[in-house]
Amino acid sequence: MRIARTPAEVREALASEERPLGLVPTMGALHAGHLALVTRAREECRTVAASIFVNPLQFGPAEDFARYPRAFESDVAALRDAGVALVYAPDVATMYPAGFATAVDPGPVGALYEGALRPGHFRGVATVCVKLFATVAPDRAYFGAKDAQQVAVLRRVVADLDLGLELVVVPTVREADGLALSSRNVYLDPPQRADAPALHRALAAIVDAVRGGETDRERAVACGRAALADADEAYLDVVDPLTFTPLDPLAASGLAIGSVRFGTTRLIDNEPIGEAL
Ligand code: AMP
């Protein structure tokens, strides 16, 4: 497995590799959710590349960029064991050299929910992903269903900019109690960790309500809110998974989405009413 630090090194390393080529973009601190993306990519692609880059552009000034977990050595070992051919791990000055000024604005799909709580977040995500796609030139790129609005944004970007690659969405990997794996789960203290599965229970309650015949969005969301008990909700809703706008009337295509704060840590999750994304 090779480690590349610059776009030129990536291109040189991948020039002789077999296609199809799959890319798994990550911010490191890898867990079984990330490795599920690698496993899927290995099943579908002759060559798999992964990136590790904590992208400052997608963090707000008051967010956790500086303390975001970093575990480069163990990440590299896990990716090597998982059969990745190349890790692209640029530093910030390589990704955004002095004078860097271009950005990708994904438009309305990135405006609500995570976009509203994190102004500029999806602009940062879209910009770094377009740069990664331009550098690696993958046939397919693998993303987790857990970050469903990110998937919606990137579908828009790939279509709108004619990027000509396939986005593959991999189901969310969860702990036994339903909590979605996340690099940010390490921030939870034991009582918060004990409370955290309430988010997935709330989403499951919304899905159950709709599958049970509830047709009113606000009543369905209220079922989820009841399951949240006194947890600190940031949002809970049913949306169209392609546009990330509230879905009224409800339909089987809907996606229940939610975000809850446990102390200073805000977690996100989602559950489809019908088939997975
Ligand atoms: P991150 O390192 O948090 O930017 O995540 C890198 C990729 O892993 C993104 O496509 C995430 O959606 C995906 N991912 C994160 N957590 C999970 C999970 N629990 N299950 C599946 N994919 C995940």
Side-chain angles (χ1 to χ4, degrees), residues 24-34 36-37 58 68 142-148 150-151 170-174 179-184:
V24 179
T26 83
M27 297 202 299
L30 302 183
H31 52 63
H34 298 108
L37 307 189
Q58 70 189 68
Y68 192 84
Y142 292 80
F143 292 91
K146 184 180 85 76
D147 297 285
Q150 170 168 278
V151 169
V170 178
T172 302
V173 177
R174 300 178 180 284
L179 176 66
L181 298 195
S182 164
S183 305
R184 290 191 167 96

Side-chain angles (χ1 to χ4, degrees), residues 150-277:
Q150 170 168 278
V151 169
V153 161
L154 293 174
R155 282 197 200 289
R156 196 67 266 154
V157 168
V158 166
D160 290 352
L161 300 184
D162 304 318
L163 298 185
L165 59 91
E166 183 189 347
L167 288 192
V168 180
V169 182
V170 178
T172 302
V173 177
R174 300 178 180 284
E175 303 282 5
D177 60 10
L179 176 66
L181 298 195
S182 164
S183 305
R184 290 191 167 96
N185 290 353
V186 298
Y187 299 152
L188 302 172
D189 67 20
Q192 291 163 351
R193 172 62 189 83
D195 290 344
L199 172 54
H200 187 245
R201 282 198 300 274
L203 297 167
I206 295 174
V207 169
D208 282 350
V210 180
R211 288 185 184 162
E214 182 56 73
T215 54
D216 181 80
R217 180 176 131 256
E218 289 188 1
R219 280 203 301 266
V221 170
C223 293
R225 212 155 267 151
L228 273 187
D230 57 358
D232 182 10
E233 171 193 328
Y235 58 80
L236 201 58
D237 213 338
V238 182
V239 298
D240 178 320
L242 293 180
T243 62
F244 261 73
T245 51
L247 190 68
D248 249 326
L250 291 179
S253 61
L255 184 71
I257 62 165
S259 175
V260 172
R261 294 181 194 87
F262 300 95
T264 56
T265 305
R266 189 172 63 79
L267 301 182
I268 63 170
D269 201 352
N270 64 84
E271 194 62 49
I273 308 286
E275 282 181 24
L277 288 181

